[in-house]
Amino acid sequence: MRRQAANSGSDFDPFHANIDERKRKRMLSNRESARRSRMRKQKQMEDLVNEASLLKNENERLRQNINRNTQRYVEIESANNVLKAQTKELTERLRSLNTVLQIAEEVSGLEVEIPEIPDPLLKPWQPLCPLQPIMASADMFQY
């Protein structure tokens, strides 16, 4: 009953008024702190959403780049396989022609210069004919 009388407002109690004032200030401070916390979380969420969007765009760009490079690799590998097959065929033709030259040399008795046949599969980094330039087009090197 005594407390009710003290809180009724008819009697001014400075002790309780001071406690009420501190409670009110603490509540305001807590509200402000909660508001700042919500704003900070909202800002973090917006930053994360923006970062996720940027990363998705970067992923898509990289995926397209990988697909483009994979397609180019397949094209170059295919062209390389054709060139290897042609090299093998031409090497076999040269061997055949060298055999004809050896037979002609034996039959005619004349000395014929028979070129050595390089094995491109054993030393693929060495050009077959170092005197001839290797032609390349600018579109071979697209990035």
Side-chain angles (χ1 to χ4, degrees):
M1 287 274 179
R2 217 158 130 208
R3 274 187 136 186
Q4 285 179 348
N7 287 336
S8 67
S10 59
D11 295 333
F12 179 74
D13 183 2
F15 177 74
H16 285 101
N18 194 16
I19 290 176
D20 287 343
E21 182 62 22
R22 279 191 289 181
K23 270 187 180 178
R24 190 183 66 74
K25 285 182 181 180
R26 190 170 53 241
M27 281 177 41
L28 288 175
S29 174
N30 287 347
R31 284 183 187 151
E32 181 60 25
S33 178
R35 186 187 67 77
R36 285 192 310 266
S37 177
R38 285 190 303 273
M39 289 177 63
R40 201 169 35 249
K41 285 182 183 179
Q42 183 178 358
K43 173 77 168 93
Q44 287 174 340
M45 181 60 79
E46 289 171 0
D47 290 347
L48 289 173
V49 167
N50 289 338
E51 185 178 359
S53 176
L54 290 174
L55 290 172
K56 283 179 184 177
N57 291 341
E58 179 71 6
N59 270 351
E60 183 58 30
R61 188 186 65 77
L62 290 173
R63 189 176 293 114
Q64 289 174 356
N65 196 7
I66 287 170
N67 289 340
R68 220 177 9 258
N69 288 335
T70 300
Q71 179 63 34
R72 187 69 181 142
Y73 170 79
V74 168
E75 291 169 2
I76 290 173
E77 186 177 35
S78 176
N80 192 31
N81 288 337
V82 168
L83 291 173
K84 283 181 182 179
Q86 289 174 344
T87 301
K88 189 173 181 181
E89 180 185 341
L90 291 172
T91 302
E92 289 303 316
R93 280 184 177 177
L94 187 54
R95 280 195 181 108
S96 178
L97 290 173
N98 281 351
T99 303
V100 169
L101 285 175
Q102 286 174 347
I103 293 171
E105 183 181 52
E106 290 174 7
V107 169
S108 70
L110 298 174
E111 191 172 314
V112 178
E113 186 179 328
I114 300 174
E116 185 180 319
I117 301 172
D119 190 350
L121 300 178
L122 292 178
K123 298 177 184 175
W125 57 89
Q126 292 180 346
L128 293 175
C129 301
L131 301 177
Q132 294 181 346
I134 297 174
M135 303 305 286
S137 62
D139 64 342
M140 286 179 66
F141 304 105
Q142 292 178 347
Y143 293 100

